[in-house]
Amino acid sequence: MHASAPGKIILCGEHAVVYGRPAIAIPLNDVRARVSIIPGAPGSGVCFDAPDLRRRWLITSAPHDPLSELTLAILRRFGVQRMPDIEIAITSDIPIASGMGSGAAIATAIVRALASAYGRNLSAAEVSALVYESEQRFHGTPSGIDNTVIAYEQAIWFQRRSEPPHQIEPIAIAEPFTLLIGDTGVRSATRLPVGEVRRRWQEDPIRYEALFDAVADVVYQARRALAEGDRAALGPLLDRNQALLEEIGVSSPELERLIAAARSAGARGAKLSGGGWGGVMIALVEPETAQQVRQALQAAGATRVLETIVQAAA
């Protein structure tokens, strides 16, 4: 049995979203995690093989691993009484610890593959809820963005409320557009820049609230540009969001080098995506400029460059 799930990126609104402003997140249909379930040796139980994570483990030897717990929860949900003898093979195009939803994508692919193996038809809402529970075990208090975007494979508008449930709704995309994703190769746990922004906000709340309001204005304009299919407007909005993220203090020299290279090579706009201080950046490109922007990113030090087409959505 085989299944897959996309990665995701924040198109605009990161960091400000923590403080009640909206963000737009989109699935990366061409950048995916894949899971295959194959029969194992009799008596072997459940074995995970994840070469991209450089891990191989038995569910019995690591029962509290988030993926082990997720698998056990699904087997219980399906009424499986005896531990099956299967191997869960995991591969992924999605860079780890890059803000691209690697963990949620792998979890979604596991849920889908197990559902297929046991002949169960789970709705996107059921898959999302199972993955959210897994994200809670791993992250504590996840926003709900990753599991929703990835399970529904749909662009969403997300806004945190003081009390859950948060506002999560699909958004319209009138015309498809192409993004390049440049990986700096620098890994930074999201909690570090998030914690530093909180410290700065506490020290200077007036300045940071104004920055977050400016980010929110960009996000509202970006939603309008997506709904109207206006790529010419979307590019400068990404640039504006990047300038604000630099003021907020979450960019880095590696990110800015890639962003500058993309713009110089013809990208309509470019910005970091995710927590910052490393990780990835995104560039809005036209099909005819994608190759030269890709080459510029590689020349500027990108450890890899991924390409995805964001599809139109009603």
Side-chain angles (χ1 to χ4, degrees), residues 5 7 31-35 51-53 90-96 101-103 105-106 304:
V31 184
R32 304 183 76 86
R34 298 172 181 83
V35 167
D52 296 313
L53 303 177
I90 302 165
T91 59
S92 180
D93 305 328
I94 308 165
I96 298 165
S102 172
I106 290 171
R304 72 172 119 181

Side-chain angles (χ1 to χ4, degrees), residues 9 11 26-30 155 173 175-179 226 308-312:
I9 56 108
L11 186 69
I26 58 176
L28 301 172
N29 295 313
D30 306 308
I173 299 176
E175 299 288 343
F177 59 93
T178 302
L179 290 176
L226 291 172
T308 192
I309 298 173
V310 180
Q311 300 295 341

Side-chain angles (χ1 to χ4, degrees), residues 1-2 35-41 44-47 49 56 84-89 113 117:
M1 298 297 174
H2 307 281
V35 167
S36 298
I37 297 180
I38 57 179
S44 62
V46 177
C47 176
D49 184 39
R56 184 179 174 88
D85 297 320
I86 57 174
E87 180 169 303
I88 298 176

Side-chain angles (χ1 to χ4, degrees), residues 11-12 22 24 156-159 167 169-174 217-229 234 237:
L11 186 69
C12 50
I24 293 172
I156 66 165
W157 175 273
F158 180 92
Q159 191 161 9
Q167 181 185 1
E169 60 187 41
I171 63 170
I173 299 176
D217 182 60
V218 168
V219 179
Y220 280 101
Q221 291 185 63
R223 183 173 189 170
R224 190 178 311 117
L226 291 172
E228 295 173 356
L234 184 59
L237 289 170

Side-chain angles (χ1 to χ4, degrees), residues 55-277:
R55 294 187 61 203
R56 184 179 174 88
W57 73 99
L58 292 171
I59 203 167
T60 51
S61 63
H64 299 300
D65 179 276
L67 297 182
S68 297
E69 290 189 347
L70 172 64
T71 300
L72 290 168
I74 296 166
L75 293 175
R76 284 193 299 270
R77 180 188 180 100
F78 292 168
V80 178
Q81 301 294 324
R82 181 178 172 276
M83 186 74 72
D85 297 320
I86 57 174
E87 180 169 303
I88 298 176
I90 302 165
T91 59
S92 180
D93 305 328
I94 308 165
I96 298 165
S98 63
M100 293 175 64
S102 172
I106 290 171
T108 299
I110 287 175
V111 172
R112 289 174 173 170
L114 286 169
S116 178
Y118 285 94
R120 304 301 175 96
N121 184 22
L122 296 179
S123 68
E126 290 173 308
V127 173
S128 180
L130 285 164
V131 174
Y132 184 73
E133 291 171 12
S134 178
E135 291 276 283
Q136 284 180 306
R137 287 189 283 268
F138 191 66
H139 294 295
T141 54
S143 66
I145 292 179
D146 286 15
N147 55 283
T148 304
V149 175
I150 290 167
Y152 284 87
E153 301 204 21
Q154 192 169 31
I156 66 165
W157 175 273
F158 180 92
Q159 191 161 9
R160 186 189 294 268
R161 294 193 173 113
S162 55
E163 293 291 334
H166 305 306
Q167 181 185 1
I168 300 176
E169 60 187 41
I171 63 170
I173 299 176
E175 299 288 343
F177 59 93
T178 302
L179 290 176
L180 293 184
I181 303 159
D183 189 349
T184 64
V186 177
R187 294 293 165 255
S188 175
T190 300
R191 60 182 172 80
L192 297 177
V194 168
E196 176 62 15
V197 171
R198 180 161 295 277
R199 185 188 69 77
R200 296 181 184 185
W201 170 72
Q202 289 169 337
E203 287 183 353
D204 193 352
I206 294 174
R207 175 170 181 255
Y208 274 78
E209 286 292 320
L211 287 169
F212 299 151
D213 283 342
V215 171
D217 182 60
V218 168
V219 179
Y220 280 101
Q221 291 185 63
R223 183 173 189 170
R224 190 178 311 117
L226 291 172
E228 295 173 356
D230 190 350
R231 291 195 301 275
L234 184 59
L237 289 170
L238 299 185
D239 290 341
R240 173 62 177 151
N241 197 169
Q242 172 62 23
L244 291 166
L245 288 165
E246 291 174 15
E247 284 193 68
I248 288 168
V250 294
S251 192
S252 72
E254 295 86 357
L255 284 163
E256 288 164 28
R257 185 164 58 247
L258 296 186
I259 289 165
R263 291 171 180 165
S264 295
R268 283 187 175 271
K271 62 179 282 291
L272 70 85
S273 180
W277 288 5

